[in-house]
Amino acid sequence: MDSGTLASMLPFVAMFIVLYFFILRPQINRQKKEKAFQAEIKKGAKVITTSGIHGKIIEINANDNTITLETGAGKIKFERSAISMEMSKKYAAPATK
């Protein structure tokens, strides 16, 4: 390879490095955190699903990886991966003035 070929490849290599550090790596870290969160949710936690449904976990079924939420409309069964965030900790924090 001559120096012209290396010089023409340099922008593509630099673009891949920037893409990795600013897009791919943060996404991978978010996915790891989300999986860890979904694995540690407990019965009784108040959560929000990815579709925006608020509820309280009343049952966790490890066999088929589902949870049962108690909502205002009744009991609904969801996949564990459908849980977006936990609200128990947010509401349990003492109010500061």
Side-chain angles (χ1 to χ4, degrees):
M1 288 188 160
D2 61 357
S3 63
T5 305
L6 290 176
S8 66
M9 288 178 53
L10 187 61
F12 292 110
V13 172
M15 192 168 56
F16 177 75
I17 292 171
V18 168
L19 179 74
Y20 176 76
F21 281 106
F22 287 107
I23 297 175
L24 297 175
R25 191 169 178 208
Q27 180 65 25
I28 291 168
N29 287 339
R30 271 193 297 275
Q31 288 174 345
K32 285 181 183 178
K33 286 180 184 177
E34 190 172 318
K35 279 190 172 194
F37 162 72
Q38 290 169 354
E40 70 182 22
I41 56 176
K42 305 274 188 243
K43 186 176 174 181
K46 294 180 182 174
V47 296
I48 300 176
T49 65
T50 54
S51 58
I53 298 174
H54 293 237
K56 181 179 175 183
I57 297 175
I58 57 172
E59 182 182 346
I60 298 175
N61 189 346
N63 295 335
D64 60 356
N65 214 16
T66 60
I67 61 164
T68 304
L69 286 183
E70 183 178 29
T71 65
K75 296 177 183 176
I76 305 174
K77 193 173 200 177
F78 283 97
E79 290 291 321
R80 186 179 278 237
S81 61
I83 302 301
S84 176
M85 67 173 63
E86 182 175 3
M87 298 303 292
S88 299
K89 294 176 184 174
K90 181 179 178 181
Y91 292 129
T96 58
K97 293 181 182 181

